[in-house]
Amino acid sequence: MRLGLTFALGIAMIAAATSKPVSFENDITPILTGKCQPCHFPGGTMYAKRPFDKPATIIALGEKLFTRIKDEKQRAIIRAYLAEQKR
Ligand code: HEC
């Protein structure tokens, strides 16, 4: 399917730009700990509801994270990570 191919190419380009595979610990966590501490990490006010040290939280929120993450390079890494989870 043509759309599928375009999508696959897009993912491949993102993956190449971010040196795949995207690792939660090595790629995603540093973005989140840099900006979302202390609230979404152990001891923070949002940890019980939205713990950002758990991949499931990030996968569930998906692009809702982008309300607080504006850096396009960081967004690309998160998008690539989310795309990998859907395979
Ligand atoms: C100063 C504390 C604090 C920091 C830092 C913080 N958050 Fe939050 N976050 C909250 C609180 C409190 C809420 C719940 C109220 C709201 O939605 O604003 C929340 C809610 C959210 C939600 C909505 C969750 C839902 O249930 O739909 C998202 C998405 C989110 N934060 C992402 C982020 C991201 C991404 C970062 C880092 C870039 C971040 N937050 C940093 C305190 C924080």
Side-chain angles (χ1 to χ4, degrees):
M1 196 179 88
R2 183 142 187 95
L3 240 182
L5 179 65
T6 308
F7 183 72
L9 281 174
I11 297 303
M13 284 167 66
I14 291 166
T18 58
S19 75
K20 104 181 249 209
V22 182
S23 142
F24 188 80
E25 286 76 17
N26 297 330
D27 301 313
I28 305 298
T29 300
I31 296 173
L32 301 176
T33 52
K35 296 185 169 177
C36 316
Q37 290 211 86
C39 310
H40 293 272
F41 285 87
T45 53
M46 278 304 280
Y47 187 66
K49 214 176 147 204
R50 294 292 187 187
F52 279 8
D53 58 352
K54 303 211 164 43
T57 310
I58 301 313
I59 294 163
L61 285 175
E63 299 210 354
K64 277 189 200 160
L65 294 165
F66 297 168
T67 56
R68 273 91 162 179
I69 295 173
K70 307 287 183 195
D71 183 305
E72 281 304 328
K73 272 186 226 143
Q74 295 183 334
R75 285 181 170 189
I77 294 169
I78 292 169
R79 277 196 196 97
Y81 177 74
L82 293 172
E84 282 181 17
Q85 310 311 307
K86 286 175 194 155
R87 263 188 233 153

